[in-house]
Amino acid sequence: MSEHPDSALVRRGYDAFGRGDMATLGSLMMSDCAYHLPGSSQVSGHYKGRDNVLSLFGRLFELTGGSLRVVLDGVFVDGRGHAVTAHKWFAEREDRGIEMRGGLLFTIVGGKISDIDECVEDIDQTDAFWDAPG
């Protein structure tokens, strides 16, 4: 049984993110891709456009001194342009660390990512981490 193309696309994205390969990651997104990060922290919000999404990712790496990493647990597709992932993410800021389960909901159009909604296990803890001095 071969992997569904949407699942393969998402796995390529996680791999590129993990390597800090923003060029490859950007090539998987539509130019008007949107990313929605929950909560009310300094990084929460809606990011519209591939360049803005990639800038957000760069900022997350910058805020964590490059310590941000994500371990993919699974990718689930519906065959109609949606993929859902489960993962665990880890990061450090100064003397504070975080380890949390989460996931992403992808909308895929024509083999490219058009929208990403992030979900986290604990929004308050996530906000506290991103807003902590660092």
Side-chain angles (χ1 to χ4, degrees):
M1 186 167 162
S2 66
E3 184 172 42
H4 190 278
D6 291 346
S7 181
L9 174 73
V10 168
R11 286 182 191 282
R12 282 194 310 272
Y14 268 81
D15 179 62
F17 183 89
R19 291 182 287 110
D21 182 353
M22 296 299 125
T24 295
L25 191 54
S27 75
L28 305 176
M29 299 176 184
M30 298 180 78
S31 63
D32 63 347
C33 181
Y35 192 96
H36 313 280
L37 198 120
S40 58
S41 76
Q42 65 174 316
V43 295
S44 298
H46 305 283
Y47 296 83
K48 182 72 171 170
R50 177 178 41 227
D51 292 342
N52 290 325
V53 173
L54 295 175
S55 290
L56 165 67
F57 295 161
R59 184 160 181 229
L60 298 178
F61 282 114
E62 180 182 313
L63 287 169
T64 62
S67 70
L68 176 62
R69 66 186 178 90
V70 180
V71 176
L72 181 63
D73 290 328
V75 180
F76 313 97
V77 297
D78 69 356
R80 297 179 292 114
H82 300 102
V84 175
T85 63
H87 63 242
K88 188 175 276 190
W89 61 280
F90 309 81
E92 296 176 6
R93 294 191 67 211
E94 298 293 323
D95 64 348
R96 182 181 193 123
I98 192 167
E99 176 180 323
M100 186 175 295
R101 292 181 299 185
L104 300 174
L105 170 62
F106 293 85
T107 302
I108 300 165
V109 177
K112 297 267 188 177
I113 298 165
S114 69
D115 195 84
I116 308 166
D117 278 291
E118 182 170 345
C119 297
V120 295
E121 186 174 41
D122 186 327
I123 291 175
D124 292 336
Q125 184 181 359
T126 302
D127 282 345
F129 175 78
W130 290 117
D131 283 344

